[in-house]
């Protein structure tokens, strides 16, 4: 039984995240998405909103669950009996940071490894930050996020 965790802020979940989730769910038996509670910046969406959106977009995958977590990803992995951490890589700019985190985690617990999925080309530019910016300027975000997120922005900004 291969279990993995996919940690992130998901503020909000994008089609880029969803692509990684779909691909990871095919290669592991169980995937636990972990929404980080101790986010340094103030998130736009509350934890509950982010959980709700992720649960809705992953409903079609029976082996995917969504949880919140506080603290180190390695601890979250251990608590879920997972020995794999899934992360996505977009451009070289992600590489240095991701490498540092993966090596730190592996040093803390050598039983835990990180697996990287390279982004699908069509989502290579996509980040939650970009989506929040585009939405802030009242532009169409439907090519970047699932419909439930478009609706969530409408509620939040009341203008899209
Ligand atoms: P964090 O704040 O931990 O970077 P994010 O929610 O921004 O969390 O991202 C979670 C993970 O998903 C990270 O590994 C990130 O690189 C990956 N990711 C985000 N957007 C994309 C994308 N468009 N394509 C592939 N991976 C992505």
């Amino acid at each position: 039984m291969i279990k993995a965790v996919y940690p992130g802020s998901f503020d909000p979940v994008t089609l880029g995240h969803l692509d990684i989730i779909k691909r990871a769910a095919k290669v592991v038996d169980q995937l636990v998405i972990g929404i980080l509670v101790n986010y340094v910046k103030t998130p736009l969406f509350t934890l509950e909103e982010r959980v709700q959106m992720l649960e809705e977009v992953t409903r079609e995958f029976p082996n995917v669950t969504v949880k919140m977590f506080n603290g180190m990803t390695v601890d979250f992995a251990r608590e879920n009996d997972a020995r794999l951490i899934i992360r996505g890589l977009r451009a070289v700019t992600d590489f240095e940071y991701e490498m540092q985190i993966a090596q730190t985690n592996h040093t803390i617990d050598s039983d835990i490894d990180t697996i990287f999925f390279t982004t699908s080309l069509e989502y290579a530019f996509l980040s939650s930050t970009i989506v929040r910016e585009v939405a802030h300027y009242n532009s169409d975000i439907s090519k970047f996020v699932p419909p439930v997120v478009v609706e969530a922005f409408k509620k939040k900004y009341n203008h899209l």
Side-chain angles (χ1 to χ4, degrees), residues 6-11 14 16-17 20 36 39 86-90 94 97-98 117-120 123-124 126-128:
Y6 178 33
S9 314
F10 305 103
D11 187 32
T14 69
H17 293 128
I20 302 290
L36 199 56
Y39 190 44
I86 305 287
R87 294 288 287 176
L89 276 181
R90 281 159 295 193
D94 279 344
Y97 173 73
E98 291 293 343
F117 281 79
T118 50
T119 181
S120 295
Y123 305 127
L126 195 52
S127 69
S128 299

Side-chain angles (χ1 to χ4, degrees), residues 1 6 39 45 50 54 57 69 117:
M1 171 82 140
Y6 178 33
Y39 190 44
F45 290 99
R50 284 180 278 156
L54 268 163
V57 297
F69 78 102
F117 281 79

Side-chain angles (χ1 to χ4, degrees), residues 41-87:
K41 294 164 273 173
T42 311
L44 178 64
F45 290 99
T46 65
L47 268 172
E48 291 71 23
E49 286 170 328
R50 284 180 278 156
V51 169
Q52 210 185 345
M53 288 187 274
L54 268 163
E55 280 181 342
E56 191 150 339
V57 297
T58 57
R59 193 162 291 153
E60 61 184 296
F61 311 114
N63 61 339
V64 176
T65 49
V66 182
K67 293 184 180 175
M68 311 174 187
F69 78 102
N70 213 326
M72 297 289 296
T73 304
V74 277
D75 294 328
F76 178 63
R78 279 196 216 114
E79 282 158 22
N80 285 280
D81 299 315
R83 290 171 64 170
L84 291 177
I85 298 169
I86 305 287
R87 294 288 287 176

Side-chain angles (χ1 to χ4, degrees), residues 88-103 116 118:
L89 276 181
R90 281 159 295 193
V92 275
T93 43
D94 279 344
F95 184 81
E96 206 172 336
Y97 173 73
E98 291 293 343
M99 180 97 159
Q100 245 181 340
I101 299 288
Q103 285 170 339
F116 294 102
T118 50

